[in-house]
Amino acid sequence: MQLCPQWLGWRAMFGVAAVLAVGLGVLIAVFVPRLERKTSTRYAALLASMWQLFMRHKPLRLASAIQACVFAVFSAFWSVLALHLARPPFGLGAAAAGAFGLVGLVGVLAANLGGRVIDRVGPQSSLRVGLVCCVLAFGVLGLDGSMRGLVVGVVLLDFGLSVANVANQSMVMVMVMGLEPDARSRINTVFVTSIFLGGALGSAAASAAWAHGGWPDVCVLGLAVAILALGIHLVAKPDWGPAASAR
């Protein structure tokens, strides 16, 4: 799919995405089972209760903030990578940006490795390792403008993001979801919504940074957000369980 902008133009990507979305909608309609409602609460009230859940539970707020930062870092990098590669000294097209996805396959291995590391050292230590890798990645990307630096930065970033994702989601699934067992779906909705808000803000901020100062500003942005996520993790230090919920 990354080849489409170079071969067919950027509009082709929207056509491909539209076809995939329609196909996914058909698959969901056909194969996802219909479940009976488990509550008589009106939909508007359920939506309002999610904000109350967010404000009531400190572990949920912290996990959501960290995950939003992680996805913002991801979006900030990948949303402007093609623009960076198109400029000197690289002068490469969109296909080259897509090829960097192959370099990022290390993240697939990292997710598997991350699960094993979590079993041994725990999710909090694993999350710390992942976030430190993200910080180091943007340090490399900002200081080394060569192709070598870009490759090393992508590997570090993808590894860090994968480990941080697995670790943070592990804490959410095991501990945060137990804050209110009857509200697990709504807690998950809050968490996932925070992820996509972070991604959208990361893309928007990266575009503004690129327009203002180019790649160096994007690296500063990514570094700042990664440090913010690490800072939240180190400073907050919640007891990831029901007892830690701030009421």
Side-chain angles (χ1 to χ4, degrees), residues 15-240:
V16 171
V19 171
L20 291 175
V22 171
L24 181 60
V26 172
L27 289 175
I28 291 175
V30 173
F31 293 105
V32 174
R34 297 184 181 276
L35 301 177
E36 300 235 353
R37 292 179 58 181
K38 296 182 178 180
T39 178
S40 59
T41 306
R42 297 179 64 86
Y43 187 64
L46 287 174
L47 291 177
S49 70
M50 287 190 286
W51 174 253
Q52 296 165 5
L53 286 169
F54 180 79
M55 296 304 298
R56 189 157 61 236
H57 298 297
K58 183 179 179 180
L60 176 59
R61 295 197 298 273
L62 295 176
S64 297
I66 291 173
Q67 201 69 22
C69 289
V70 167
F71 198 33
V73 166
F74 174 89
S75 298
F77 174 79
W78 287 103
S79 61
V80 299
L81 177 61
L83 300 176
H84 178 52
L85 289 174
R87 285 188 171 184
F90 305 112
L92 301 173
F100 268 89
L102 298 177
V103 177
L105 283 176
V106 67
V108 177
L109 301 176
N112 185 27
L113 176 62
R116 297 179 183 179
V117 172
I118 289 172
D119 290 338
R120 291 188 178 183
V121 304
Q124 294 198 53
S125 296
S126 300
L127 176 59
R128 189 154 50 248
V129 169
L131 294 176
V132 167
C133 286
C134 292
V135 172
L136 293 176
F138 277 101
V140 171
L141 291 168
L143 294 175
D144 189 343
S146 67
M147 181 61 72
R148 176 191 58 195
L150 196 56
V151 170
V152 172
V154 169
V155 171
L156 263 176
L157 182 62
D158 210 55
F159 178 83
L161 289 174
S162 295
V163 173
N165 272 321
V166 172
N168 198 41
Q169 290 178 22
S170 174
M171 288 190 289
V172 170
M173 294 302 297
V174 174
M175 302 168 191
V176 178
M177 289 297 183
L179 293 169
E180 290 189 30
D182 294 338
R184 286 177 179 172
S185 294
R186 284 174 286 158
I187 288 175
N188 187 58
T189 298
V190 171
F191 182 68
V192 173
T193 299
S194 71
I195 296 174
F196 286 99
L197 283 174
L201 291 174
S203 295
S207 298
W210 176 265
H212 180 267
W215 185 248
D217 280 20
V218 174
C219 291
V220 170
L221 170 67
L223 181 65
V225 177
I227 290 175
L228 174 61
L230 182 61
I232 293 172
H233 170 66
L234 293 177
V235 174
K237 293 183 179 178
D239 176 15
W240 291 91

